[in-house]
Amino acid sequence: MKITLQHVDHIYQEGGVSETAALRDVDLTIDDGELVAVIGHGGSGKSTLALLMAGLYQPSSGTVELTGSKDPEHPFRSVGLVFQYPEQQLFGESVFEEVAFGARNQGTAEDYLPVKVREALEQVGLDPDVMWYRSPFSLSGGQKRRVCIAGVLVMDPQLIILDEPTAGLDEGGRKWIAQLVRRLNEEGRTVVWITHNMAEAAEVARRVIVLKGGRVLLDGPPQQVFSEEETLMSAHLTPPPAARLVRELQRRGWDIEASAVTVEGAAEEILSHLASGKEGGHA
Ligand SMILES: Nc1ncnc2c1ncn2[C@@H]1O[C@H](COP(=O)(O)OP(=O)(O)O)[C@@H](O)[C@H]1O
Ligand SMILES: [Mg+2]
């Protein structure tokens, strides 16, 4: 499913004393099947963008349009949003109720709900038998996230938006999320992954959108976006360590391409440079 934003402004408390323009003149098209990372400093408008894409907010001006929804009458029902804070999403008395909610809303028959919930919990690596009756509020931060994701996956969204799903998770949790994001995309879903972690964005996404002050500052493949070091710095963002390493070697006189953004990519560049025997020169 494709999403198109045209001239989107979003203003909170319009006309009030605390009026805030969270998004300004945003033009974006995300095509069916894309895997996009959205990055930006706190307050740059990422969550507002997510809420607009999910149809939960209406833009103050401009349009948000979905094409290719399997439910053309209600296209936003094909969008799933995993909220930034699990507390924004969780409300159920039990994990079962929590995850069943979305499926029930979609009209899933009551006796079929347990099957759907079980499937969704398995997709996020939670044991249904252990989780079923537990209160979502009694779970660890990582488990809460997984329940939130299951609550969205149970609706089988064509476009899924995850708003900083790795925040507060340890290394293992972050790796798991990165794998999940990849898998969801491989299953044919369009994925918008909001993150503040440049290395994660570089490794997983094929396109990176950078927001600054509610505007799109950069938009392109990770190699291109992360080479714009100064522009990123102006948005209080630092390119991923691997990209910085390669650029630093280049600055010090190595004749290599500064396009690597991942650790693997940087290793490739360095090894092929060493193999070419060009490392002798000191700048
Ligand atoms: N409900 C709200 N009411 C008023 N201002 C808001 C609200 N939500 C967000 N904002 C403001 O809008 C701007 C963008 O916020 P947000 O979309 O949450 O950014 P991000 O997710 O990148 O941190 C910020 O200045 C924030 O303070
Ligand atoms: Mg946010």
Side-chain angles (χ1 to χ4, degrees):
M1 193 166 59
K2 170 176 163 182
I3 187 160
T4 311
L5 285 80
Q6 281 184 305
H7 303 302
V8 166
D9 288 321
H10 195 75
I11 300 161
Y12 289 106
Q13 271 109 40
E14 198 160 7
V17 275
S18 54
E19 179 175 298
T20 309
L23 289 177
R24 287 184 272 195
D25 202 25
V26 171
D27 279 311
L28 267 185
T29 300
I30 296 173
D31 271 316
D32 185 40
E34 276 201 89
L35 167 47
V36 178
V38 175
I39 62 178
H41 199 245
S44 59
K46 304 182 297 297
S47 292
T48 305
L49 181 69
L51 291 156
L52 283 164
M53 285 181 161
L56 296 174
Y57 285 176
Q58 297 300 314
S60 308
S61 62
T63 57
V64 180
E65 238 178 54
L66 293 168
T67 31
S69 170
K70 59 190 177 192
D71 185 356
E73 292 263 304
H74 310 98
F76 284 99
R77 287 188 190 167
S78 307
V79 183
L81 168 62
V82 181
F83 283 77
Q84 179 167 7
Y85 303 103
E87 293 68 28
Q88 290 174 303
Q89 198 174 324
L90 298 172
F91 66 94
E93 273 178 28
S94 66
V95 168
F96 168 74
E97 284 301 329
E98 185 67 50
V99 178
F101 179 78
R104 192 180 274 132
N105 267 352
Q106 278 182 329
T108 303
E110 209 58 30
D111 16 338
Y112 189 52
L113 282 176
V115 178
K116 299 272 278 187
V117 170
R118 191 163 272 278
E119 258 174 32
L121 288 173
E122 279 164 359
Q123 277 193 71
V124 299
L126 291 175
D127 182 346
D129 298 322
V130 175
M131 289 292 156
W132 210 256
Y133 299 107
R134 291 192 57 182
S135 160
F137 300 98
S138 71
L139 305 176
S140 73
Q143 290 170 328
K144 278 184 189 156
R145 285 247 178 246
R146 289 180 193 231
V147 170
C148 288
I149 296 170
V152 168
L153 291 183
V154 77
M155 296 181 277
D156 194 20
Q158 291 171 272
L159 165 64
I160 183 161
I161 306 160
L162 300 112
D163 193 351
E164 300 205 25
T166 55
L169 299 187
D170 60 14
E171 177 72 13
R174 290 205 302 271
K175 282 224 166 88
W176 178 81
I177 294 271
Q179 274 166 10
L180 175 80
V181 165
R182 276 205 193 96
R183 194 182 80 214
L184 294 173
N185 183 243
E186 281 162 12
E187 287 169 1
R189 298 175 216 274
T190 310
V191 181
V192 176
W193 181 15
I194 299 174
T195 175
H196 56 267
N197 187 318
M198 310 299 132
E200 284 173 359
E203 273 179 35
V204 177
R206 291 187 291 274
R207 175 179 173 194
V208 177
I209 295 170
V210 182
L211 293 182
K212 178 190 177 186
R215 293 179 193 274
V216 175
L217 181 68
L218 293 167
D219 179 357
Q223 291 79 358
Q224 185 192 318
V225 165
F226 291 126
S227 70
E228 301 275 349
E229 204 169 344
E230 269 143 44
T231 311
L232 288 169
M233 297 294 235
S234 80
H236 310 287
L237 299 169
T238 315
R244 278 159 50 213
L245 171 67
V246 172
R247 280 181 77 79
E248 186 58 28
L249 288 169
Q250 200 186 33
R251 248 182 236 122
R252 294 188 184 204
W254 275 36
D255 176 21
I256 57 173
E257 292 230 10
S259 63
V261 290
T262 61
V263 170
E264 290 76 15
E268 289 287 321
E269 289 289 349
I270 292 168
L271 286 173
S272 72
H273 179 77
L274 291 175
S276 73
K278 287 190 287 188
E279 86 280 12
H282 291 277

